[in-house]
Every structure is written in C-alpha cells, then in structure tokens.
Amino acid sequence: MVDLFRRLAWLLSLLPLIAATPTAAERPLILATTTSVDNSGLLKHLLPKVTADTGLTVHVVVRGTGAALRLGTSGDADVVFVHDRLAEDAFVAAGHGSFRRDVMSSNFLIIGPHDDPAKIADLPDPAAGLRRIAQTKTLFVSRGDGSGTHNAELRLWTAAGLDPRVASGTWYRETGSGMGATLNIASALDAYLLTESGTWANFGNRGALTVLNDNALLNPYGIMLVNPQRHPHVPENDARKFIDWLTSPVAQQAIDEFTINDQHPFRSAAGAETTAK
Amino acid sequence: MGEFGQGLINAATLIVSFDSDFLGIVGLSLRVSLSAVVIACLIGFPLGALLALSRFPGRGAAVAVLNALMGLPPVVVGLIVFLALSRSGPFGVLGLLFTPTAMIIAQTILVAPIIAALTRQTVEDLWAEYGEHLRSLNATRADTIATLLWDGRYSLTTTVLAGFGRAIAEVGAVMIVGGNIDNLTRVMTTAIALETSKGNLEMALGLGIVLLVLALTVNGVSQLIGASAQRQALRA
C-alpha cells in the first residue's frame, strides 16, 4: 500500500508543473469588446500595431455590449470598447467609467433572403421596411440579448411604431445569442435580421442572405476607461496609453484602411470625449 | 456533403501544418483538461472510497447528491466560478479570472463528482467482495481504501477517462471563466464556437474532427498502457 501512496506523491509532485500559470511581471491590459470588432478581423489588424507602437500586450475578451459593460462595472476589464451610445453614457454617468471617447463607426444593415418575400429592398426607410416585415409576418430573428445591435434594433422598431415582442415566438424570434449565432440561424431559416457591417463583411455562412437596406442607422463605437478610483487594480497608465493610441491619427488611418472582402466596414470618428460630471 | 468533405480536409491540413497558433490551442486544451482531471482524481478517489466504506445516517442522500452532481451544467459552474473569481467577487484579489488556472478550477468542479461517484460504486462492489477478508486482516481504513483503489485500478481507468471526456469536450464553463482570449485561454471547444460564430462552418468542423482525434488518441494510449500493465501483472 506504501506503493500506492508513493505513486500518489509522485503525481502530486507533477501538479505544479501542469497547473502552473505563467504570470507576467507586468499585467497585460484586458479589453472587453464586442463580436463586431473581433469577428470582423479589425483587432487582428490593429493589435500588432499597438504592440509595435506602445509595447502594450492586450488581452481581448469578446462579449455583447451589455455583457462587456458588465465586465467593466465589476472591474474584470480595464478598457471597454463597445457600440451602444446610451448604455455607454449611462456607464460613465454612473462612475463605472472615467470617460468615453468616440473611436469609429460602422453601419447597421437589414439583411434578408435575396428573393425578399416582404419586398423591403425598394424601401429606403428602414422603419418602413420593418413595418412591412411585420405586416406580412415574415420571419425576423432578433439578437434578444441586450447587445448594442439588439438595442439599435429595438430603437428601429420603436421608430416604426411597433412592438415586435407581442409576436415573440411566431414570426419574431429572439435568439438570445451573439451576432454570429443569430446570423447562422437567419441563414438557416431564410429570415430577416438587423446586423452590422463589420460582422457581415467577414461572415462566411451567408446562404441566401443578402443586404436589403444599408441605410438603417449609423453605429458609433466608443471606448471607455474603467474607473481606476473604483478598481485600483486597473493599470491606468497602460489603459490611457491604449486609448490614446486608438484615437491617434495613426490608428484612425489604420481603421479607414481596413478592408474585408473589398469592403470598408468601419469609418474613423475619433474626437469627442465625455466625462462624468 | 460538401461541408463534411471540406471539414475533413481542414482537419488534415491543421494537423499536418503544425501551425503554432493551432498547436498552442491543442496544447492548452490538454494542459487544462489533464490538470483538472488529475486534481479531480486527488479529490474524487479518496472521497468516493470513503463514502463507499462509511455507514452514517443520510448516507443514501449523500450518494444521491453525489450522483446528481455528475450532471452539473457547465454553464452554471462557469457562472459560479466567474462570480467567485470576479474582481468584485470573494476571490477577486487573486486576479485569476481569464487565466488558464480559472479554467482548471471550473473543470475540476465538473469532473470531481464524476470521479467520486464512479469510484464510490467501484470500491463498494470490491468491498462487498473482499470486505470480509480485509476485516479479518485487521486492516486500517486507510489501508483498506488504498488496497481497494489499487485493486479497482482497471475500472478506475475508465472512470478517469469519463472525467477526461467531460473536461475536454466542455465549452460552457471555459468560455465564461477563460474568456476565449487568443494565445492565452483559447482551447479547442471555444475555438470551435468562435469559428461557428464567424460562419466558418468548415473550419469549425475541421477543429471538431481534430478534437475527436485528440480524444481518441488519449483513450487509445491509456488503453495500451492499461493492457500492458495488465499483462505484466498476470506474468508476475
């Protein structure tokens, strides 16, 4: 039996080897951002330049806008880079973020099957398009997850004077999932949905889906520093360095130059900064 | 059919290419899941054996709870570990969220009940067989547990593999506590989820096939080791 315990002791001695996590002396910056920024490939385009110019290492956690802001609120992210202006302003106003700065914008798009059963392609007004989808009770999938895109979609329904949630489960389906999962569902169901140019440009599984309205809404992105006074572990200098870089002329040019499949999904828009008062 | 064919080609290309990013993902998957299984065994073997040999009021309920915990939903475990390790949670000062260590903790919680529950069954069956004999030798409880665990080592191998299967295939918990960070906490399952969300279904399928091959390799190797150990034991 001593034999067995010797074996166990041997296994125990191995444990630190496999369980040990390398801890850097300098903590890398944790950036919480949205699927549209990451899935589009924009970060892969920008992050090597960040490291080259500033020496910063950035770890990216991808969530919907709502969940990304939650990571900032709990102090689990240092910088939050999302797209829901109202939620961002509320985040800063509540003191979770020190300030918010404009970075860039993309476009919301209404996507649907190319045979367009609700006939919305000839309607320049996106709200009118949504009204016709509701009238014809054609399948529409919604993120339903409190993300920036979901909130933009709900604002568009409000502009159309409709509450689609009364039809939830019938022609209006809330997936409660990320943009990619929702696009996959729309592709499988030949349904309409609201998406955003960054994710769409890089999305592979389109099936019969195509852009029917690219005039839906402007989609502004903002970046926020998580309040170091509330969360002292936030590496404020590094975080400020990163935000300054992303809003610098060099980065803004890189954002404008970024192309996926011959499309430019993002436009630089650095400028205005808001702080909590 | 096209997707499956392309998936197989992608899987083969990934394996042959020795792409460093890809190998990093495979390596991390193995490191996290094997670590979790080893820790879970250190907890689950003694716990399961102890429960098998103990008689106390409420033991039936304890066994039922342990068996039920085998069905712990990974997303719930991920959420609980996330809240515990969050900067705003009780263990926030450790700064473990979004690290491989957090992933190992979550998977250990998922795997330990499986190891403990199956060990309990194995040891209880052996105890029914050899209990009389061990009692006549006046064996201490620790000795009895060690003897029965050693005697049950071949069926316990299957127990360990069941735990490993749970860990390596799980996505819900590691996605939440690891964050799927490129080059840091991205494992096979979260990479598959990411490629699916990008609509790169062929690439996701390719990674899935590689994951299956990986699981098959681990199971095959352990079977070979077990078989050769068994042969040696018979010869001795």
Side-chain angles (χ1 to χ4, degrees):
Chain A
M1 291 325 99
V2 175
D3 196 35
L4 177 67
F5 287 119
R6 196 175 298 144
R7 274 159 215 262
L8 274 178
W10 179 76
L11 271 178
L12 263 174
S13 71
L14 276 180
L15 209 56
L17 264 181
I18 48 177
T21 315
T23 42
E26 293 264 317
R27 187 165 79 78
L29 206 59
I30 297 180
L31 169 72
T33 189
T34 65
T35 37
S36 44
V37 174
D38 191 56
N39 280 9
S40 63
L42 177 67
L43 284 177
K44 274 223 161 69
H45 174 67
L46 293 178
L47 286 183
K49 299 183 205 292
V50 178
T51 309
D53 286 0
T54 64
L56 292 172
T57 311
V58 183
H59 286 161
V60 183
V61 179
V62 179
R63 297 278 193 269
T65 290
L69 287 170
R70 279 288 306 260
L71 287 180
T73 305
S74 59
D76 292 312
D78 307 315
V79 179
V80 184
F81 181 28
V82 292
H83 61 118
D84 185 349
R85 189 59 203 262
L86 295 177
E88 291 162 32
D89 287 341
F91 182 80
V92 174
H96 299 308
S98 304
F99 62 86
R100 176 204 177 276
R101 224 183 264 176
D102 284 330
V103 177
M104 61 181 194
S105 65
S106 68
N107 282 316
F108 284 115
L109 311 167
I110 299 181
I111 307 285
H114 60 67
D115 60 351
D116 191 17
K119 300 284 169 257
I120 67 159
D122 52 338
L123 297 173
D125 176 18
L130 289 190
R131 265 196 299 275
R132 197 171 283 177
I133 290 170
Q135 277 157 14
T136 54
K137 297 189 179 356
T138 322
L139 272 187
F140 185 98
V141 289
S142 165
R143 292 278 293 274
D145 63 349
S147 60
T149 304
H150 181 220
N151 290 341
E153 181 213 310
L154 292 178
R155 283 197 288 277
L156 210 51
W157 282 110
T158 308
L162 288 166
D163 178 13
R165 279 174 162 158
V166 296
S168 182
T170 59
W171 60 268
Y172 186 73
R173 309 227 171 134
E174 292 162 293
T175 64
S177 310
M179 194 71 257
T182 307
L183 275 164
N184 278 327
I185 291 168
S187 170
L189 293 176
D190 282 343
Y192 289 88
L193 83 161
L194 184 81
T195 189
E196 171 272 346
S197 51
T199 312
W200 176 251
N202 202 30
F203 186 72
N205 178 34
R206 293 185 180 184
L209 297 182
T210 186
V211 177
L212 298 171
N213 188 317
D214 59 359
N215 193 23
L217 281 173
L218 198 67
N219 179 28
Y221 284 82
I223 194 160
M224 284 145 288
L225 169 69
V226 172
N227 192 346
Q229 274 152 2
R230 282 207 188 163
H231 300 288
H233 58 267
V234 169
E236 186 180 351
N237 289 338
D238 285 355
R240 282 182 185 275
K241 214 191 279 180
F242 175 68
I243 294 171
D244 287 343
W245 185 86
L246 200 60
T247 49
S248 70
V250 178
Q252 292 288 301
Q253 197 187 339
I255 288 170
D256 283 327
E257 282 168 1
F258 175 63
T259 47
I260 336 165
N261 304 324
D262 299 326
Q263 294 168 46
H264 290 263
F266 301 106
R267 309 232 174 281
S268 62
E273 176 174 314
T274 45
T275 48
K277 275 288 154 296
Chain B
M1 206 50 231
E3 277 99 359
F4 288 107
Q6 193 55 47
L8 275 172
I9 292 168
N10 282 340
T13 314
L14 278 171
I15 294 172
V16 176
S17 69
F18 283 103
D19 176 66
S20 70
D21 278 0
F22 169 69
L23 289 180
I25 291 172
V26 172
L28 185 67
S29 284
L30 286 173
R31 197 180 110 202
V32 167
S33 294
L34 288 174
S35 303
V37 168
V38 168
I39 301 168
C41 286
L42 293 175
I43 300 166
F45 283 156
L47 191 73
L50 202 62
L51 190 59
L53 302 182
S54 307
R55 293 293 174 267
F56 55 89
R59 179 178 176 277
V63 170
V65 167
L66 185 61
N67 287 342
L69 288 179
M70 287 198 286
L72 270 177
V75 183
V76 175
V77 170
L79 196 57
I80 292 168
V81 173
F82 176 90
L83 291 173
L85 297 182
S86 164
R87 291 285 181 178
S88 307
F91 302 105
V93 285
L94 300 175
L96 286 178
L97 198 63
F98 306 140
T99 65
T101 309
M103 300 157 82
I104 294 173
I105 293 171
Q107 290 200 340
T108 301
I109 295 172
L110 283 170
V111 174
I114 296 178
I115 306 279
L118 297 179
T119 301
R120 202 267 317 155
Q121 190 64 55
T122 302
V123 171
E124 205 165 300
D125 293 347
L126 287 170
W127 177 243
E129 214 171 316
Y130 304 118
E132 207 65 32
H133 179 62
L134 284 166
R135 261 198 297 267
S136 73
L137 292 174
N138 275 333
T140 65
R141 177 171 287 205
D143 275 348
T144 305
I145 288 178
T147 310
L148 293 179
L149 283 177
W150 185 245
D151 272 0
R153 61 191 178 279
Y154 298 118
S155 54
L156 289 179
T157 308
T158 309
T159 298
V160 174
L161 289 175
F164 175 74
R166 164 81 147 178
I168 196 85
E170 174 280 318
V171 60
V174 285
M175 183 66 104
I176 296 176
V177 304
N180 192 27
I181 297 171
D182 202 7
N183 296 317
L184 181 72
T185 57
R186 183 161 299 163
V187 290
M188 296 292 293
T189 53
T190 58
I192 292 168
L194 176 65
E195 291 305 326
T196 307
S197 84
K198 287 186 192 167
N200 294 338
L201 304 190
E202 291 85 2
M203 183 49 78
L205 199 59
L207 285 164
I209 293 168
V210 174
L211 181 60
L212 282 172
V213 171
L214 202 65
L216 195 64
T217 310
V218 169
N219 279 274
V221 167
S222 73
Q223 196 164 354
L224 283 178
I225 294 172
S228 84
Q230 214 157 2
R231 267 197 305 278
Q232 265 172 357
L234 284 177
R235 220 176 292 144

